[in-house]
Amino acid sequence: MKNIYNSPRFLRKLVILPSVFVAVLFMNSCSEDFLDQPAYNSLDTESVFNNIDTAEMYVLGCYRGVIPTEMYYQLGAGDTVIHSSEDGSTNNSKYNICNYQYDAYTPNTVTGIYSAMYAVIERTNIAVSGLSKMPESTKRNVLIAEAKAIRAFCYYNLIRVYGDVPSVFKPLDEMDPNDPSTLYPKRSSRDGIYDQIIGDLQEAVNIIPNFAQSGYATTERLTKQGVNALLARVALYAAGYSLRWDLNTGSGAMMSRRSDNTRVQQLYQIADNACATIINGGTNSLVQAQSGKSGFEALWYNFAQRKFSVTNTEVLWQIAEYGANTNSAFGVYANEGSRGGTYGSRKALQFVLPSYYLSFNQGDTRRDVSCTSYSVYFLNGGAASDTWVNAGTTFSCIMAGKFRMGWCVAPQAADARNLNIPVLRYADVLLMYAETQNYLNGGPTAAGNAALMQVRNRAGIGSASLPSGQQAYESAIVQERKWEFAGEFNLRTDLIRMNRLASEIEATKQAMKNLSNKAGAYANTPVYRLYRLEKNAQIYGDPYLALKYIDITNPTEIATITNVPTSSANYATYQTALRAIVTAHGQTTTTEEKWYPTNMFQAYTSTFNGNARKAAGFLAGFNQLQIGNIIYTKPTGSAENGGAYPNWIEGGGDGLFYGFVPNKTELLPFAAASAGHPLIDNPNLTQLPGY
């Protein structure tokens, strides 16, 4: 077996290059022709590293695969913000992983991240080795630093998913084939891996050019600012909490920091310094309000439109996804859903917990960008000439909105999206800096507050008070990160490194019960909304943000809107009464406009909600949305569910986070069901305790 794995033929397969997708050295990243050119398919390392230009193409190929689909499709949920709406939980990896119900023997365990990360690590190891043998030059040194930074990102992903993992920093063909650990490496201490990749990143920031000097058109390739931001993030994870156990005995699993407190302090200082370097550099900033859009809306609309000249100051590193060879599934499921038409039939398999949707301060412009309370649907049954509308939804089917389909450029394939993957933003740098300042100084500082206030001011909530105590301030940062980074697939592990996952899960479960009961903070949450019937433009680049609605709380008005006619002969009179309510709320309307009430606590498909939509002109008032029916066909309210919590909130073997077990499920086990799974392929690996 070892001879097979160490044969030249096998090793050449390991270095097969994916299609080159970053064209920033040569032309604008939106150039389809360059991005679609064929890949190198079987070059051996000797020929690749005989020439600095082919060596560079090899390093660019290392970017491919650093964000596997599972990183956001499965681990991007379960963070008390984004949740899975898959159709049922039986053997459903997305729904179970979202709810921390997984084991090593069913298809519920993430396996693609492990293989994808080690594939990239092998490529970067080859790059570092091959480049190191080439004559020294500035370009060669930059490429080595770049490869090490990519490798660091891969190890960071592995550790935050699996904990201690094998440490491999040499190409396979340079390792001893007679050493059992070459092909079957054991878990290594995550602290040692963290320390090595942090050292690599500290070296890299002194070598890699900053964005202004790089000549790159976009931040699809790492620059000094991106590496500093990555250094800060990795250092915070290395200093933070994680599920640890004795590697020798496999016992004692519990959430804790590394035992060396001096090193913890050093790591916070490293993160602090890296953030300060970016902030004080003066070349990065948050995207601000423009063209009638708030700053947050302008950021994500222009990002989806690939107008990177607008977003480059804030998006410090993004993974390129454009062209037939580079499109990925990113964004297909993180959108407002679509039944057909221009956008095709796209099912939204993630939704936003209503407790999160209702958590925003009044005036926070991030809510309607991150959350959409509408779904794209046809008005008259789905004929080719049908009218498409933005159908107002209920609390149980609010969806993620940053990567909505209408904002994007047209895809090159029906099942793909020309949407880059954001990895590091300047807003993250500002919030990490506020966090490190708070930790290192035993409480918030003026500099940390100034950083946090940049984020809040852009969101429109600069008047919100800031706490003064260290713990209260950290809690404020946790919440701010939720408001700012919903749907960007980092919140789940952020909560773990801050040792907040268990408490945030419990708080969210209780909040959802309170909302279901209309109790506590939700005692006065409006039950009824009056939505305006609005067409969907059915064009890519549609700047549409949010469906207009009015909360109805007046008893007389509630009596009027709930008196929904079931005969079309009475629809006109009903619409006249609804428009009178709209006018009474100070909004203008016309006789052509139609409105429809929605009970936000009932299911989207409830009798009342379906009849109300029919009264506004929906041919199929009880239409099926392109959302997992485990959510949109269920109510949010307990009273609306016969006096019991809906199963998706709390059920027998189901309900929010039904599989979460503290000091166990903060990490995933290695899959062990069949060949191709880590624990089967490598007999020297040990399993996560408890599985």
Side-chain angles (χ1 to χ4, degrees):
M1 185 67 103
K2 292 179 183 176
N3 290 333
I4 294 174
Y5 278 103
N6 285 276
S7 69
R9 182 179 179 184
F10 176 76
L11 292 171
R12 278 198 296 272
K13 288 182 180 179
L14 286 175
V15 301
I16 289 175
L17 298 182
S19 301
V20 177
F21 72 101
V22 180
V24 290
L25 279 185
F26 306 98
M27 57 185 69
N28 188 285
S29 67
C30 291
S31 172
E32 176 184 339
D33 293 340
F34 180 85
L35 295 167
D36 284 343
Q37 67 177 304
Y40 294 99
N41 285 324
S42 59
L43 291 177
D44 59 38
T45 56
E46 287 81 4
S47 58
V48 169
F49 298 106
N50 275 335
N51 181 284
I52 194 66
D53 291 329
T54 57
E56 180 174 30
M57 298 296 279
Y58 184 91
V59 172
L60 295 182
C62 291
Y63 282 91
R64 289 296 303 278
V66 296
I67 302 286
T69 300
E70 291 171 336
M71 289 298 296
Y72 56 87
Y73 187 18
Q74 293 173 305
L75 296 182
D79 53 10
T80 72
V81 173
I82 305 294
H83 211 70
S84 173
S85 61
E86 290 273 8
D87 298 324
S89 59
T90 303
N91 287 331
N92 189 305
S93 63
K94 291 81 177 175
Y95 195 78
N96 279 322
I97 287 176
C98 172
N99 286 288
Y100 298 86
Q101 177 67 37
Y102 33 70
D103 60 56
Y105 306 106
T106 64
N108 301 340
T109 301
V110 171
T111 58
I113 293 173
Y114 186 90
S115 57
M117 291 302 95
Y118 277 111
V120 177
I121 287 169
E122 174 66 11
R123 292 190 209 118
T124 56
N125 286 342
I126 291 170
V128 171
S129 176
L131 285 160
S132 298
K133 297 179 179 69
M134 296 180 69
E136 183 173 3
S137 67
T138 298
K139 187 170 184 177
R140 185 209 72 154
N141 294 342
V142 168
L143 292 175
I144 292 174
E146 193 171 2
K148 288 183 177 180
I150 297 169
R151 182 173 66 187
F153 182 68
C154 292
Y155 272 117
Y156 149 79
N157 285 332
L158 284 167
I159 294 171
R160 67 193 180 114
V161 174
Y162 301 110
D164 302 307
V165 293
S167 172
V168 183
F169 286 90
K170 287 183 180 181
L172 272 174
D173 64 350
E174 295 182 10
M175 299 170 69
D176 181 2
N178 297 313
D179 184 346
S181 64
T182 295
L183 293 180
Y184 307 119
K186 298 179 180 180
R187 289 186 189 255
S188 297
S189 167
R190 72 197 71 179
D191 296 334
I193 297 175
Y194 270 139
D195 288 345
Q196 178 155 345
I197 64 176
I198 286 170
D200 288 342
L201 292 171
Q202 287 176 308
E203 291 179 4
V205 294
N206 295 319
I207 300 171
I208 291 180
N210 62 43
F211 182 70
Q213 296 171 335
S214 68
Y216 306 158
T218 75
T219 54
E220 292 166 330
R221 189 169 179 180
L222 280 164
T223 62
K224 191 180 297 292
Q225 291 96 323
V227 176
N228 259 318
L230 180 58
L231 171 60
R233 179 180 285 181
V234 173
L236 281 178
Y237 271 77
Y241 287 84
S242 58
L243 182 61
R244 297 170 175 272
W245 64 94
D246 189 316
L247 283 179
N248 294 318
T249 65
S251 61
M254 65 180 298
M255 289 292 294
S256 62
R257 298 186 192 270
R258 61 168 70 194
S259 59
D260 185 352
N261 187 60
T262 299
R263 181 57 176 163
V264 170
Q265 295 288 324
Q266 291 173 349
L267 290 167
Y268 269 96
Q269 190 63 61
I270 289 170
D272 186 84
N273 292 344
C275 292
T277 298
I278 300 171
I279 294 169
N280 296 332
T283 59
N284 293 98
S285 60
L286 301 177
V287 174
Q288 299 298 324
Q290 54 191 261
S291 304
K293 297 179 176 64
S294 69
F296 200 69
E297 180 185 354
L299 165 66
W300 292 111
Y301 179 78
N302 283 287
F303 183 82
Q305 278 288 291
R306 305 188 65 81
K307 295 179 180 177
F308 299 132
S309 60
V310 177
T311 62
N312 279 337
T313 60
E314 179 166 353
V315 181
L316 304 181
W317 184 27
Q318 56 188 306
I319 303 302
E321 297 288 338
Y322 186 89
N325 293 331
T326 57
N327 276 338
S328 78
F330 178 68
V332 170
Y333 305 98
N335 54 63
E336 68 273 18
S338 173
R339 198 72 193 177
T342 298
Y343 308 137
S345 185
R346 299 291 183 82
K347 197 169 187 178
L349 300 181
Q350 294 174 333
F351 77 112
V352 175
L353 288 178
S355 55
Y356 173 74
Y357 175 75
L358 294 169
S359 73
F360 286 87
N361 291 307
Q362 186 174 5
D364 194 325
T365 58
R366 294 173 293 193
R367 189 196 73 168
D368 288 343
V369 175
S370 299
C371 313
T372 60
S373 57
Y374 68 91
S375 183
V376 179
Y377 194 75
F378 38 70
L379 186 63
N380 298 315
S385 59
D386 208 342
T387 297
W388 296 87
V389 296
N390 300 312
T393 57
T394 63
F395 282 143
S396 61
C397 47
I398 294 171
M399 287 154 283
K402 285 178 180 173
F403 310 114
R404 62 191 75 187
M405 292 177 295
W407 281 4
C408 294
V409 297
Q412 295 184 331
D415 60 349
R417 297 283 294 283
N418 291 332
L419 182 65
N420 279 10
I421 302 175
V423 181
L424 292 160
R425 290 201 284 121
Y426 186 60
D428 198 358
V429 171
L430 293 170
L431 293 184
M432 286 192 294
Y433 186 62
E435 181 182 344
T436 58
Q437 284 285 294
N438 181 57
Y439 180 87
L440 292 169
N441 295 281
T445 66
N449 281 341
L452 175 55
M453 288 307 296
Q454 284 191 56
V455 176
R456 287 193 167 185
N457 286 335
R458 197 262 295 271
I461 59 167
S463 60
S465 61
L466 290 175
S468 56
Q470 185 177 23
Q471 287 302 112
Y473 196 81
E474 183 181 278
S475 296
I477 291 173
V478 169
Q479 184 59 58
E480 201 70 39
R481 294 189 70 85
K482 287 187 180 184
W483 288 331
E484 184 70 22
F485 300 118
E488 295 179 58
F489 52 88
N490 284 310
L491 287 176
R492 179 171 172 144
T493 53
D494 274 342
L495 291 176
I496 293 171
R497 72 159 177 88
M498 300 178 82
N499 203 25
R500 294 295 188 112
L501 183 62
S503 60
E504 290 293 320
I505 280 178
E506 287 305 310
T508 301
K509 289 167 66 174
Q510 187 59 53
M512 284 303 305
K513 291 178 184 178
N514 289 345
L515 176 62
S516 186
N517 291 332
K518 305 180 189 70
Y522 306 102
N524 297 316
T525 299
V527 173
Y528 294 99
R529 276 186 182 178
L530 193 56
Y531 282 117
R532 185 174 72 179
L533 182 62
E534 296 180 7
K535 294 182 180 180
N536 183 277
Q538 285 290 291
I539 58 172
Y540 284 102
D542 179 11
Y544 185 82
L545 175 64
L547 188 62
K548 182 174 290 186
Y549 70 87
I550 300 170
D551 284 325
I552 304 298
T553 57
N554 180 284
T556 301
E557 293 177 342
I558 290 175
T560 298
I561 67 172
T562 54
N563 187 26
V564 180
T566 56
S567 170
S568 59
N570 298 319
Y571 285 170
T573 301
Y574 182 61
Q575 285 296 320
T576 299
L578 295 183
R579 286 193 290 270
I581 292 175
V582 172
T583 302
H585 281 262
Q587 295 194 26
T588 58
T589 186
T590 67
T591 55
E592 289 77 25
E593 284 186 347
K594 293 184 179 181
W595 296 75
Y596 54 98
T598 296
N599 185 313
M600 298 298 290
F601 286 84
Q602 290 181 5
Y604 178 85
T605 54
S606 72
T607 300
F608 171 80
N609 287 335
N611 284 334
R613 286 190 295 273
K614 290 181 70 174
F618 282 77
L619 179 64
F622 300 90
N623 52 299
Q624 294 182 348
L625 297 182
Q626 282 294 78
I627 310 169
N629 63 28
I630 196 172
I631 300 300
Y632 88 97
T633 62
K634 311 300 180 185
T636 297
S638 57
E640 291 78 4
N641 194 54
Y645 295 121
N647 281 349
W648 67 273
I649 294 178
E650 184 175 78
D654 214 322
L656 291 175
F657 313 116
Y658 56 85
F660 181 72
V661 178
N663 296 315
K664 177 182 176 182
T665 51
E666 290 87 354
L667 291 174
L668 274 80
F670 287 137
S674 58
H677 288 180
L679 214 63
I680 296 297
D681 292 349
N682 184 350
N684 283 337
L685 281 181
T686 56
Q687 186 58 283
L688 176 67
Y691 290 93

